[in-house]
């Protein structure tokens, strides 16, 4: 089907970091059919199968409207996060961590993100940062490229929901790997900035993350302290 090929095709030789998709047309029967089949399967696909179909999920999570029949896209993405790292890690899915997180953050830029439950977009974003606890001895648990979506314009510098999601995800990372957060000036900077946001929900999430990472509470008087570089 032509519209399916358009939304799911990835040029030969490209990597996950160069994956580019557009929002689905609405309606998009072929994408709805693929998502229905993935949801109906009610289990994880093989790693290669998920990697092949992931562009459809990402397209379904892009843009301000949910295409009819594509409501399960976030649930399917979340179901496959255990394949990113840990005991169930799959070599085809691990490299997609950044793109999976970016897809959830893109959803969070839109009001429709509030209609997703079980999981919520926040839950799914945290799940995208599942880690292999044994990896620290052989290198960083999370690379700078993998963390980048949480720190950019759709993350800690984005709108309300993106900022909250990023703070929650960074807090989850800090609870397991505090040094990863404490030793990264850019992450420290992003958390600090959000600790003094006017929006109470953002501020609360950021301060909880700061407490988790650095073991100290902040109050409004700290706003005049030097900003982390």
């Amino acid at each position: 089907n032509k519209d399916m090929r358009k939304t799911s095709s990835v040029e030969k030789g490209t990597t996950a970091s160069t994956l580019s998709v557009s929002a689905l047309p609405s309606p998009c029967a072929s994408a709805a059919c693929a998502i229905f089949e993935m949801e109906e399967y009610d289990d994880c696909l093989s790693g290669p199968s998920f990697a092949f179909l992931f562009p459809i999920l990402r397209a379904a999570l892009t843009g301000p409207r949910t295409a009819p029949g594509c409501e399960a896209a976030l649930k399917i993405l979340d179901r496959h996060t255990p394949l990113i790292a840990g005991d169930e890690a799959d070599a085809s899915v691990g490299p997609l961590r950044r793109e999976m997180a970016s897809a959830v953050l893109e959803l969070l830029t839109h009001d429709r993100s509030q209609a997703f439950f079980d999981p919520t977009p926040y839950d799914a974003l945290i799940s995208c940062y599942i880690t292999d606890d044994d990896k620290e001895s052989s290198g960083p648990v999370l690379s700078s490229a993998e963390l980048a979506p949480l720190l950019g314009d759709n993350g800690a510098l984005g709108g309300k929901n993106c900022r909250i999601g990023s703070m929650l995800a960074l807090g989850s990372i800090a609870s397991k790997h505090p040094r990863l957060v404490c030793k990264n000036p850019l992450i420290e900077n992003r958390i600090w900035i959000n600790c003094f946001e006017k929006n109470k929900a953002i501020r609360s999430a950021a301060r909880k993350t700061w407490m988790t990472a650095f073991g100290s509470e902040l109050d409004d008087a700290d706003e005049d302290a030097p900003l982390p570089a």
Side-chain angles (χ1 to χ4, degrees):
N1 205 318
K2 185 178 179 181
D3 53 351
M4 174 67 79
R5 289 196 300 269
K6 183 177 179 181
T7 57
S8 65
S9 63
V10 181
E11 288 186 18
K12 200 171 184 179
T14 59
T15 63
S17 62
T18 61
L19 180 64
S20 178
V21 297
S22 301
L24 293 173
S26 185
C28 183
S30 51
C33 180
I35 289 172
F36 173 80
E37 293 292 344
M38 284 187 270
E39 171 62 6
E40 190 74 2
Y41 186 61
D42 198 30
D43 201 354
C44 283
L45 305 172
S46 69
S49 294
F50 175 75
F52 178 74
L53 293 167
F54 171 67
I56 300 172
L57 298 177
R58 182 163 187 185
L61 296 172
T62 298
R65 297 180 181 82
T66 301
C70 298
E71 295 82 1
L74 183 68
K75 183 178 181 180
I76 296 167
L77 182 150
D78 182 71
R79 181 189 297 161
H80 289 82
T81 54
L83 302 184
I84 296 174
D87 294 339
E88 300 178 49
D90 187 282
S92 298
V93 181
L96 290 175
R97 184 200 300 275
R98 174 175 176 162
E99 299 303 323
M100 292 168 73
S102 295
V104 180
L105 287 166
E106 156 63 23
L107 174 63
L108 281 168
T109 66
H110 303 290
D111 291 341
R112 69 179 177 113
S113 64
Q114 302 307 299
F116 289 81
F117 297 95
D118 194 28
T120 66
Y122 297 146
D123 294 332
L125 184 61
I126 290 170
S127 295
C128 286
Y129 285 93
I130 183 175
T131 56
D132 183 347
D133 294 335
D134 297 328
K135 189 178 176 183
E136 285 193 55
S137 59
S138 59
V141 182
L142 293 164
S143 69
S144 296
E146 290 174 321
L147 290 165
L150 297 177
L151 308 177
D153 291 340
N154 273 3
L157 300 179
K160 172 189 171 184
N161 294 330
C162 293
R163 288 180 183 242
I164 293 172
S166 294
M167 292 302 106
L168 294 174
L170 289 170
S172 176
I173 294 167
S175 69
K176 299 173 184 175
H177 309 287
R179 287 177 58 83
L180 179 67
V181 174
C182 294
K183 299 296 183 181
N184 188 314
L186 183 58
I187 296 178
E188 181 183 1
N189 172 279
R190 296 296 190 261
I191 300 172
W192 178 274
I193 288 172
N194 283 285
C195 284
F196 301 100
E197 266 294 310
K198 292 181 180 179
N199 182 276
K200 184 177 179 180
I202 297 172
R203 190 169 66 246
S204 175
R207 292 188 180 195
K208 287 179 181 177
T209 295
W210 183 273
M211 180 66 182
T212 300
F214 298 98
S216 61
E217 294 186 9
L218 294 174
D219 58 43
D220 291 337
D222 293 313
E223 187 172 8
D224 296 326
L227 187 68

